[in-house]
Amino acid sequence: LICSSSCAVLCCACPALSQLSATAKVVMATRMLCRAWQQPQFTRAATKVAAAVAPPLRRASLSTTSPCRESDTVLTSQEGPVFFITLNRPEVRNAVDAATAKVLFESFRAFESLDDAKVAVFSGSDGTFCSGYDLKSLSTQHDDDAETTTLYHVGQGHAPMGPSRMTCSKPVIAAVEGHAVAGGLELSLVADMRVAASDSVFGVFCRRFGVPLIDGGTVRLPALVGLSRALDLILTGRPVSAEEAMNMGLANRVCEPGQALAVATELANTIAQFPQQCMLADRASAYRSAYSAGTVEEHLDFEFRNGFNVLDEALRGARQFAEGAGRGGQPLR
């Protein structure tokens, strides 16, 4: 009852919030109450409460890996023509491990299969889009372990980050709060458009740890921002602010912190109202022209094969990260 009242207050204060999924509304309301009661330890429970109160269209399976044993790692729901996909591993800043990647991939496939879902909004819980691949989980693996084996045998199925080898037939909008870095940057590039909070950060942060871009970063980023700007990000691994991302074409909208989901949802509803056959035909033609030197699948295959030549270095970097090296942007020794 209290959560329902809080949801009503939120929607009255900001009409754009009325477009949010029921799950997102309850999450925001619960977190608002937690702050009011000065009980931040309940914040992580907000998503679990929301999942119980507002049942999603499809509930992703529970992760079998720590540290999110008690939470769904991917939440999905549908509100009218808009399909919501939310990464939910807040304890690791929504980093993706092998189990989460598979669930995320299946969530995108579910969106593709639903005729009445016209646009997807892809976001991360707890103020972070995605911090990349879960290097701690990778650092504990050996060459014969299931997780490493999954990376080596991606083929035409899900990629290390999940849906990054997919070419969706319908629009996807990424709602970026906090960090979209390393593999998280690559996941944001799966989307047609990115709505970024003004304090959000993009970047190829995996550069310092020797982890290659094998989830579309070297294919999609140059197509979006041009080779020169893409190489700047790829070679330096530097952070990119929302303002700079907007100027270079990486972000399509910049909004106030905490409003990315609401703005992305409003944009998705606008796109969903247009005649769909014409819009999808124009979208497909634009993608074809952007990858005129070959299909996106051919580029992705080359990127993946090329990146795995340095997987040993990536594993060493993951172990350095797990041991605490490079935190807070400190240089590696």
Side-chain angles (χ1 to χ4, degrees):
L1 177 61
I2 295 175
C3 284
S4 299
S5 300
S6 299
C7 287
V9 172
L10 284 171
C11 292
C12 290
C14 181
L17 294 179
S18 63
Q19 300 297 327
L20 294 177
S21 68
T23 298
K25 290 175 184 175
V26 177
V27 168
M28 292 181 68
T30 306
R31 286 177 180 155
M32 182 183 73
L33 291 172
C34 290
R35 287 193 295 270
W37 295 334
Q38 296 182 343
Q39 296 293 329
Q41 65 267 32
F42 293 136
T43 300
R44 284 195 297 269
T47 303
K48 192 190 299 184
V49 172
V53 176
L57 175 72
R58 271 189 176 88
R59 177 69 56 76
S61 62
L62 288 177
S63 171
T64 58
T65 59
S66 180
C68 293
R69 294 181 186 275
E70 299 181 355
S71 299
D72 289 346
T73 60
V74 180
L75 302 175
T76 62
S77 63
Q78 185 172 349
E79 293 286 338
V82 181
F83 191 83
F84 295 90
I85 302 173
T86 305
L87 270 172
N88 186 44
R89 300 187 78 212
E91 293 85 351
V92 288
R93 297 184 181 181
N94 295 326
V96 173
D97 61 4
T100 305
K102 184 176 181 180
V103 177
L104 188 58
F105 173 71
E106 293 300 333
S107 299
F108 271 81
R109 288 186 62 185
F111 163 63
E112 283 283 286
S113 70
L114 295 170
D115 292 338
D116 60 341
K118 306 302 183 184
V119 184
V121 172
F122 181 26
S123 64
S125 67
D126 213 38
T128 296
F129 181 73
C130 176
S131 60
Y133 196 82
D134 189 344
L135 294 185
K136 285 188 177 180
S137 72
L138 182 61
S139 71
T140 62
Q141 305 302 313
H142 302 285
D143 290 344
D144 58 348
D145 285 338
E147 182 147 3
T148 306
T149 302
T150 299
L151 294 181
Y152 269 114
H153 296 93
V154 170
Q156 295 301 313
H158 71 81
M161 293 296 296
S164 52
R165 293 180 65 84
M166 292 180 66
T167 51
C168 293
S169 63
K170 298 181 286 186
V172 178
I173 302 172
V176 178
E177 299 276 356
H179 284 74
V181 297
L185 169 64
E186 294 182 286
L187 279 182
S188 77
L189 301 180
V190 173
D192 298 78
M193 302 176 68
R194 281 146 298 282
V195 175
S198 59
D199 59 352
S200 61
V201 177
F202 298 84
V204 185
F205 283 15
C206 52
R207 175 60 54 231
R208 295 182 301 134
F209 296 98
V211 179
L213 295 172
I214 53 176
D215 282 271
T218 68
V219 177
R220 295 187 175 101
L221 189 59
L224 287 175
V225 304
L227 180 60
S228 179
R229 289 191 175 98
L231 286 174
D232 180 2
L233 273 62
I234 291 170
L235 297 180
T236 68
R238 67 181 180 84
V240 176
S241 67
E243 181 180 2
E244 184 180 3
M246 180 74 171
N247 290 336
M248 69 170 61
L250 178 56
N252 302 91
R253 303 283 192 280
V254 174
C255 63
E256 292 296 317
Q259 296 300 308
L261 181 60
V263 174
T265 301
E266 182 178 4
L267 182 58
N269 277 299
T270 298
I271 293 172
Q273 293 173 7
F274 295 132
Q276 293 296 293
Q277 289 186 344
C278 176
M279 185 269 292
L280 293 176
D282 287 346
R283 175 182 179 273
S285 179
Y287 272 104
R288 182 180 178 86
S289 66
Y291 299 100
S292 58
T295 66
V296 63
E297 288 82 4
E298 290 170 344
H299 290 302
L300 289 167
D301 283 339
F302 174 82
E303 176 197 60
F304 196 82
R305 292 194 307 270
N306 193 51
F308 270 127
N309 291 331
V310 297
L311 185 59
D312 289 343
E313 186 176 67
L315 289 172
R316 287 196 299 271
R319 290 177 184 127
Q320 285 182 292
F321 174 84
E323 293 169 358
R327 299 300 172 86
Q330 295 297 316
L332 296 176
R333 295 181 179 178

